[in-house]
Amino acid sequence: MKWTTLYGILMGGVFTAVFVLLGKPLASIFLQDEDLIEQTGYFLKILCMSAPMLGIINMMTSYFQALGKAVKSLTITLLRNAVLFIPGVMILNHFGKLNGVIAAQPVVETLLAVICILMYIIDIKSAGQ
């Protein structure tokens, strides 16, 4: 668990570095408008900040699925896609407009990674008793 999660975090960090450093050149492959390329590069920098968190979230989802704890796995999925994300978009849109909407993903996934870690710790402790 530890090594796989760390590997996922590391891979997310690599992708974050790639998108931070090469966001605009990658956007220019698909776009011609310079303003749009600039904005896309900026948005990629924000969005990719959540990539390391995916190593935690995906590992914890797989962990609970593998142990037949479907409710816990489903809880993570619902938290990510509905319970946290939709209100997160609405709240951050109110405060940051388009930047807030884009920032919702890394904010929600960071919060969800913390929740996943807590769920895992509770699960391990309850299994040990």
Side-chain angles (χ1 to χ4, degrees):
M1 281 291 295
K2 179 174 78 173
W3 290 110
T4 304
T5 303
L6 288 174
Y7 179 74
I9 293 168
L10 176 66
M11 290 303 299
V14 168
F15 282 106
T16 296
V18 167
F19 284 123
V20 166
L21 297 173
L22 301 174
K24 286 184 0 185
L26 289 171
S28 69
I29 294 170
F30 303 99
L31 305 168
Q32 277 66 52
D33 183 276
E34 195 56 43
D35 290 336
L36 194 53
I37 291 169
E38 187 73 31
Q39 191 173 31
T40 302
Y42 174 71
F43 288 159
L44 279 173
K45 286 179 184 179
I46 295 171
L47 286 171
C48 73
M49 293 301 159
S50 66
M53 299 303 117
L54 293 175
I56 297 168
I57 295 166
N58 291 336
M59 188 62 213
M60 294 304 121
T61 302
S62 298
Y63 167 81
F64 290 122
Q65 285 176 348
L67 293 179
K69 298 179 180 186
V71 173
K72 290 182 180 182
S73 179
L74 180 62
T75 299
I76 294 169
T77 301
L78 289 174
L79 283 172
R80 181 178 186 202
N81 295 322
V83 176
L84 295 175
F85 187 69
I86 293 170
V89 167
M90 292 168 49
I91 291 167
L92 292 171
N93 177 56
H94 176 74
F95 292 109
K97 303 297 177 208
L98 184 57
N99 285 333
V101 171
I102 300 301
Q105 181 177 334
V107 169
V108 165
E109 289 184 352
T110 300
L111 177 60
L112 183 57
V114 171
I115 292 169
C116 286
I117 291 168
L118 293 173
M119 288 174 67
Y120 176 72
I121 291 169
I122 291 168
D123 191 69
I124 292 297
K125 286 185 179 182
S126 69
Q129 294 178 352

